[in-house]
Each structure stands twice: as structure tokens, then as C-alpha cells.
Amino acid sequence: QLQLEESGGGLVQPGGSLRLSCSASTKEYYTTAWIRQAPGKGREVVSCIMSGGSTAHYVDSVKGRFTISRDNAKNTVYLEMTNLRPEDTAVYYCAARRFNVCTSGASQYRYWGQGTQVTVSS
């Protein structure tokens, strides 16, 4: 059974950077996404990475600012966030599915971490 644990969130000023990490409990390679949820908002799939490293991006406002990557040797997926904006404030979750294809539908990811809070504010 896959377990995921996020880390790296926190409070950052606009224009700042954060690197989120998602550690997996097994070395099995899953399709993994970063999904965010702002207060009172629905879940939004931001970026996804497949086991072989192919990526998909679903939020226009983060393109060019966020980069998803994975280090399979460390069982870890990362989200590098730069030039952060207040609109990026949300709980960020990593989530995974067994099918080797990314999807923008949050409900299609079976395994979820507990989430890490990212707050962008002056």
C-alpha cells in the first residue's frame, strides 16, 4: 500500500521560492501529481509526472514558474516553485495513481498525502 508524505511548505513572500517534496513508502513507480486546494475552492491538479519522467501541466498561471520532477532512487517527487504569487496560496497535496498516464481529474488519483500548507503573503 502506497503512503505519501509531503514536506517543504511554509510562509513565503511574493516573488519567493519553495521546493515541495513528496516521499513515497515504496520504490514502485507511480504516476504522481501535485494537487492544490485553496480555502473554499475545489481541488486543482497543477502538475503530474509519470514513472518514466514525462510531465503534464494543467494550470496556465504556474507554467514557467513551477517544475515537477522525480528522483526514483530516493522515492521522491518534487515541485519547485518560483516567483510565487498570493494566488498560489493553498494546501498542496501529492497524489498518485497506478495507471501510467496523467490526468487533470483530481478524483482519479487513488493515493494521497496529508498535504502541506503554502502561504504567499507580504
Side-chain angles (χ1 to χ4, degrees):
Q1 182 72 28
L2 178 66
Q3 293 180 292
L4 303 172
E5 182 176 3
E6 304 96 333
S7 62
L11 175 64
V12 64
Q13 293 184 339
S17 300
L18 286 173
R19 188 189 196 191
L20 306 183
S21 298
C22 174
S23 297
S25 61
T26 77
K27 292 188 177 295
E28 185 175 358
Y29 304 147
Y30 293 79
T31 296
T32 306
W34 286 98
I35 302 171
R36 68 184 183 183
Q37 185 169 24
K41 306 293 185 180
R43 295 171 297 177
E44 182 178 48
V45 180
V46 178
S47 299
C48 176
I49 187 164
M50 290 179 278
S51 61
S54 297
T55 60
H57 313 281
Y58 301 107
V59 179
D60 287 343
S61 64
V62 311
K63 292 178 180 177
R65 300 190 296 117
F66 291 11
T67 302
I68 190 169
S69 62
R70 71 189 306 153
D71 185 341
N72 288 335
K74 296 181 179 180
N75 294 351
T76 302
V77 174
Y78 304 97
L79 185 67
E80 298 178 17
M81 305 184 293
T82 63
N83 194 22
L84 283 161
R85 306 168 180 173
E87 68 187 70
D88 297 320
T89 295
V91 177
Y92 284 72
Y93 301 90
C94 65
R97 66 200 303 260
R98 288 188 178 273
F99 296 109
N100 194 29
V101 60
C102 289
T103 176
S104 63
S107 65
Q108 299 304 302
Y109 295 88
R110 182 182 183 97
Y111 307 98
W112 291 69
Q114 81 286 352
T116 185
Q117 177 71 46
V118 172
T119 302
V120 185
S121 176
S122 299

